[in-house]
Amino acid sequence: MLEIVKYGEPVLVQKAQDVKEFGRKLETLIADMHDALKRDRGIGLAAPQVGVSKRLFIVGLDDEPLRVFINPRIIASSEETCEYEEGCLSFPGLYFGVVRPSAVDIEALDMYGKPFRLSADGLLARVIQHEYDHLDGILFIDRISPAKRRRALAHYSRMLNM
Ligand SMILES: [Zn+2]
């Protein structure tokens, strides 16, 4: 079982590299990430969160088949934004509201290297943007004000020491 990398590990703040090889090894990584996602009851997981600095993430919303995004590009974001309470498997137990565009258009490759395009809103758009950020080494604490970030990190370190 893949371990989820927690906040503080350098891989989480690195810019990940494009996936160049498709095949059995990639399929195994995706299957293992899917197992880790289900085990930790998450809805999204990016490869850097399992220590693999590649541009790949998965989204598994309730009652939907797993979605795989490889070498993704967000090509449009709505002007309309909304705040939603987010968590992150790399910060277990920490949740806070993050403002992001309400809808995005994204292009990516599927696990076989086939391109697709998707317009997403609601929870799917939210998870896509959170996971996409992981590929650029951006964490959800980077999307809030400095004051809110200090409070969130102080709360997080208190939780870890409990
Ligand atoms: Zn995350």
Side-chain angles (χ1 to χ4, degrees), residues 44 49 87-90 130-131 134 139-140:
Q49 292 182 277
C88 179
L89 293 178
S90 296
H130 177 114
E131 301 309 329
H134 274 298
L139 302 171
F140 71 154

Side-chain angles (χ1 to χ4, degrees), residues 1-13:
M1 268 286 190
L2 289 174
E3 280 299 313
I4 307 278
V5 171
K6 302 300 189 308
Y7 175 60
E9 289 289 329
V11 68
L12 287 179
V13 294

Side-chain angles (χ1 to χ4, degrees), residues 65 123 133:
L123 184 57
D133 271 352

Side-chain angles (χ1 to χ4, degrees), residues 10-146:
V11 68
L12 287 179
V13 294
Q14 282 166 9
K15 198 171 156 75
Q17 302 299 308
D18 276 343
V19 172
K20 296 211 171 82
E21 281 177 45
F22 291 80
R24 174 102 46 95
K25 214 172 140 196
L26 181 68
E27 287 163 31
T28 303
L29 172 64
I30 292 166
D32 290 348
M33 284 173 64
H34 192 189
D35 288 342
L37 184 70
K38 284 187 291 191
R39 176 197 61 203
D40 289 7
R41 300 196 174 143
I43 52 178
L45 184 63
Q49 292 182 277
V50 294
V52 177
S53 195
K54 294 278 182 205
R55 302 188 76 79
L56 146 70
F57 66 79
I58 60 174
V59 177
L61 298 181
D62 282 349
D63 309 324
E64 279 188 17
L66 186 75
R67 296 173 187 267
V68 178
F69 300 82
I70 296 173
N71 301 343
R73 272 195 327 130
I74 290 180
I75 52 175
S77 303
S78 64
E79 272 175 39
E80 190 198 345
T81 59
C82 60
E83 181 167 330
Y84 187 87
E85 189 169 82
E86 295 188 14
C88 179
L89 293 178
S90 296
F91 290 81
L94 184 66
Y95 300 90
F96 52 80
V98 182
V99 177
R100 298 185 190 267
S102 311
V104 291
D105 291 341
I106 185 167
E107 281 179 355
L109 305 176
D110 70 12
M111 66 190 292
Y112 307 106
K114 189 166 158 263
F116 66 96
R117 191 175 175 154
L118 176 74
S119 294
D121 59 12
L123 184 57
L124 180 59
R126 175 60 54 162
V127 184
I128 284 173
Q129 292 175 85
H130 177 114
E131 301 309 329
Y132 185 89
D133 271 352
H134 274 298
L135 307 184
D136 289 329
I138 299 169
L139 302 171
F140 71 154
I141 52 165
D142 300 322
R143 294 291 188 192
I144 54 178
S145 70

